[in-house]
Structure formats: C-alpha cells, structure tokens
Amino acid sequence: LSALDVAQLGPEWHPVMQRVIVPMVGARSRYWIARKLPGAGTDMNPKAPKYLFPDGVSRTEGALYYGSPDCRTWVLTEDFLSAYRIRRDTGYNAAAVQGTSMGPELLSFLLSHAERVILWLDTDKYGQLGQARIQSQLTQRGMPVGCVKLPATVPDPKKLEPEFIRSTLSAIHCEEP
C-alpha cells in the first residue's frame, strides 16, 4: 500500500493487542477490525485468529463495503485489502466477505443495491468452495454472477498490479441465472 492508501484507510498499531486496527464501514454501521501481522506478537500463537471484531459484530456481519451508488457492479473478495484494491484500481464497488461465506446482511444489501456481482475469492480450496457457495446463493435469488477463475499460483487481488486487476475483471461475463 502507498502512503496515500494508508492515509485513506487510517490504520493504527495497537501495542496491547499487537495488531493493526483499521476503521471499517459495513452495511449498517462503522466499526473497527484488528488484523494480526506476520512477525508480530500474535503471530507466535498459531491458533490466534487473523482478524478480531468488536463485541456485537460477527465475522459474516463484518463485511466491508467500498463503493458508490453510481456503480451497480459489486466485486466480492475474501479480505478488506483486496476489496480496497478492487475499488481503488477499477472503480467497481467491492465488499470483503471476511472469509469464504456471505452473511445475510451482505446478501440483502447486494440484492437491493447490485445489478450484477463478480466473485473473486482466493484460489485455494476453501476460497473456491466458498465462491461456489456464494454463487449459488446469489443465482438462486436471480442475481447475475460472474466468477474470477485463475490458477492457484495467482495471489489475492491485494498483491496484484492494477492493470492485471482491471484486465481480469473486464474479461468476466456475468451469467444470468
């Protein structure tokens, strides 16, 4: 991330939690998310969750939204940095499901705000299983859905060059259910 990206995201280091705290905007509220970093204190505990949410915000409820009402295409990613990069580099709206499943709040939001959805979950086994599950949820409700399918060697959008992100998304056709 660039210095401008960091300024826009507003992260802060929390020394007690040994995590980076990032302010978030969800469908109904603002909250924070705490992300453990490789090499930081929490990384020593392999069972420590990658993300922590405040009390009262579940992982599936904690979907992060980057968007504008002018764009009716939404791209779903697993993590908030990938969603941020999609929005920054393409202008498409993006939401991070914060994992591999979509909660009812995000589903309801998409059904009322999106004309089509593109799924770009991670290329690992769990990401692809989640992508198939989310695709089914959306198409059963009449939403046109397209899926990014890349080799397992291609990293998350947050690690890709802007031109690769743009060209990948521009090649996706959303199938009518």
Side-chain angles (χ1 to χ4, degrees):
L1 296 176
S2 71
L4 179 60
D5 293 327
V6 170
Q8 288 179 339
L9 288 170
E12 294 183 19
W13 177 252
H14 193 286
V16 174
M17 293 176 75
Q18 294 287 296
R19 292 173 180 266
V20 172
I21 307 296
V22 182
M24 296 290 156
V25 178
R28 298 179 303 189
S29 63
R30 293 180 175 274
Y31 58 94
W32 54 264
I33 186 172
R35 169 73 156 90
K36 81 175 183 175
L37 297 177
T42 58
D43 201 44
M44 301 303 182
N45 178 358
K47 294 185 178 187
K50 189 186 292 187
Y51 297 101
L52 295 177
F53 294 89
D55 289 342
V57 177
S58 69
R59 184 190 55 74
T60 59
E61 181 183 6
L64 165 71
Y65 302 77
Y66 289 111
S68 158
D70 299 331
C71 180
R72 302 283 288 169
T73 297
W74 280 83
V75 180
L76 300 188
T77 66
E78 282 191 34
D79 65 278
F80 72 91
L81 289 176
S82 292
Y84 174 78
R85 288 288 312 280
I86 296 288
R87 176 67 180 166
R88 185 194 76 183
D89 296 341
T90 69
Y92 284 136
N93 291 330
V97 298
Q98 295 304 117
T100 59
S101 59
M102 179 172 54
E105 294 86 358
L106 178 56
L107 177 59
S108 176
F109 179 85
L110 291 171
L111 293 175
S112 62
H113 291 88
E115 290 178 1
R116 70 183 188 131
V117 174
I118 299 173
L119 303 176
W120 192 340
L121 274 63
D122 295 357
T123 57
D124 62 17
K125 172 184 165 185
Y126 298 107
Q128 293 305 293
L129 289 171
Q131 186 160 290
R133 194 171 41 252
I134 294 170
Q135 181 180 15
S136 177
Q137 283 180 284
L138 291 167
T139 56
Q140 287 175 6
R141 289 162 177 86
M143 179 64 67
V145 177
C147 293
V148 173
K149 296 191 186 306
L150 297 169
T153 55
V154 177
D156 305 357
K158 67 179 171 254
K159 298 176 184 173
L160 298 171
E161 293 297 319
E163 184 52 41
F164 186 87
I165 293 170
R166 285 191 290 273
S167 64
T168 298
L169 289 174
S170 67
I172 299 298
H173 173 71
C174 290
E175 297 289 328
E176 294 291 331

